[in-house]
Amino acid sequence: MPDAAPYPFEPSPARGRVLVFDSGVGGLTVAGEIRALGPRLTVHYAADTGFFPYGDKSDEALRERLPKVARALVDAVRPDVFVIACNTASTLALAEVRAALSIPVVGTVPAIKPAARLTETGTIGLLATPGTIRRAYTARLIEEFAAGKRVILHGSLELVKLAEAHARGEDIPPEAFAAAQAPLFNAEGGDEIDTIVLACTHFPLVRGQLIATAPRPVSYIDSGAAIARQTIRVLPENTQSGGQGGTSLLTRPPDETDGITRVLRRYGFPDVQFVACEPNATTSADAAP
Ligand code: DGL
């Protein structure tokens, strides 16, 4: 029998407490990567359910919200590292969150650099929230790492909602996933796309559905594994706590009809707590310009 292929990564013996944060359940894709790479870490999870979704909020509302919510969540579980498992938040307010916390903060940004290395046709699709699509940060990443490539962008809040619904166990018709990604393939030059960056942490939850409903085979890549590596890299030395468990924190009290507690339980976060967070002066109804 031929030798088995080498395992793609060696789990790290690192110990410590990590808090993974997103607007909703998308960051669970990143928490899973961190748990796989650092099985001795205690991984907590927080969802800003009181302000979900982020993808259609104004920059002003998010800039006001993020440092406040980050501080409240960090005060609740005292992690060694805070991971913003959200492209929409990281591409806007990473600096503001870093300034508000005294621990290392890891951000999530679109995997444009690996996509530029991977593409053979030179045409990359970027699937994200409308917020991430319009960020100057995203434009800079493209300029720096994908110069000479064609990058076709599409922002879909609908796909965020489909991914949340899918995670809650709803049966979504495949056509909905086909329709959510169709604008990429239908854009000028879209028939050349061979690599799609999933630049929203919700989207790897429905990677299988995207692959199954694409008009032809393309690679879907994301930053989850890179974030896990970076999280372990920035863990302060001699962090001793760690092991199993991990609490999940929500910023809106979960009620009986809210399926998110069931999702969290299924992903290994059975202990769900509510963290009160001051409401924004600018409300969640403020749509992006
Ligand atoms: N999961 C988030 C991201 O990576 C955003 C989803 C949302 O709240 O719109 O961008």
Side-chain angles (χ1 to χ4, degrees):
M1 217 169 97
D3 283 347
Y7 200 58
F9 62 82
E10 215 169 291
S12 157
R15 292 177 189 272
R17 291 158 301 172
V18 176
L19 175 56
V20 180
F21 163 77
D22 183 31
S23 58
V25 300
L28 289 168
T29 59
V30 175
E33 299 274 4
I34 295 173
R35 278 177 158 171
L37 190 62
R40 297 182 192 187
L41 300 171
T42 295
V43 179
H44 302 292
Y45 188 75
D48 191 7
T49 44
F51 212 58
F52 174 86
Y54 279 0
D56 64 351
K57 299 297 186 298
S58 69
D59 293 1
E60 188 198 11
L62 284 173
R63 275 212 185 91
E64 182 190 338
R65 173 85 178 173
L66 285 161
K68 269 198 314 206
V69 81
R71 247 194 328 260
L73 296 167
V74 164
D75 283 349
V77 291
R78 303 255 157 230
D80 302 302
V81 179
F82 185 73
V83 178
I84 309 178
C86 175
N87 293 264
T88 312
S90 303
T91 52
L92 179 74
L94 188 54
E96 284 88 342
V97 174
R98 284 199 167 125
L101 302 179
S102 55
I103 55 170
V105 176
V106 176
T108 302
V109 298
I112 289 165
K113 193 177 174 182
R117 276 200 304 259
L118 198 66
T119 179
E120 287 175 359
T121 61
T123 302
I124 298 164
L126 183 73
L127 201 51
T129 64
T132 300
I133 292 297
R134 64 164 197 274
R135 300 263 188 270
Y137 192 108
T138 305
R140 279 200 302 276
L141 277 181
I142 293 172
E143 214 177 278
E144 187 172 349
F145 298 115
K149 313 281 182 209
R150 171 157 37 190
V151 182
I152 299 174
L153 300 95
H154 176 56
S156 175
L157 200 63
E158 176 61 15
L159 193 53
V160 175
K161 292 179 180 163
L162 290 175
E164 285 267 329
H166 169 80
R168 283 163 208 241
E170 278 179 43
D171 187 21
I172 320 274
E175 297 74 35
F177 295 104
Q181 61 179 332
L184 279 181
F185 296 108
N186 295 341
E188 199 190 326
D191 53 338
E192 287 286 308
I193 291 175
D194 66 350
T195 307
I196 292 181
V197 180
L198 298 178
C200 168
T201 52
H202 278 73
F203 299 167
L205 291 169
V206 293
R207 188 195 311 268
Q209 285 71 15
L210 293 171
I211 290 172
T213 60
R216 57 174 190 283
V218 293
S219 305
Y220 291 84
I221 65 167
D222 65 79
S223 355
I227 297 160
R229 287 194 297 273
Q230 181 64 3
T231 300
I232 287 176
R233 225 174 273 138
V234 304
L235 255 184
E237 295 212 343
N238 302 322
T239 42
Q240 285 310 321
S241 59
Q244 298 77 31
T247 299
S248 52
L249 308 170
L250 302 178
T251 58
R252 185 167 66 92
D255 60 35
E256 302 257 323
T257 56
D258 190 349
I260 193 164
T261 50
R262 273 203 310 279
V263 180
L264 291 167
R265 202 172 315 125
R266 272 202 287 117
Y267 277 81
F269 294 96
D271 173 25
V272 182
Q273 293 176 20
F274 166 65
V275 173
C277 210
E278 277 173 58
N280 259 38
T282 39
T283 70
S284 58
D286 286 342

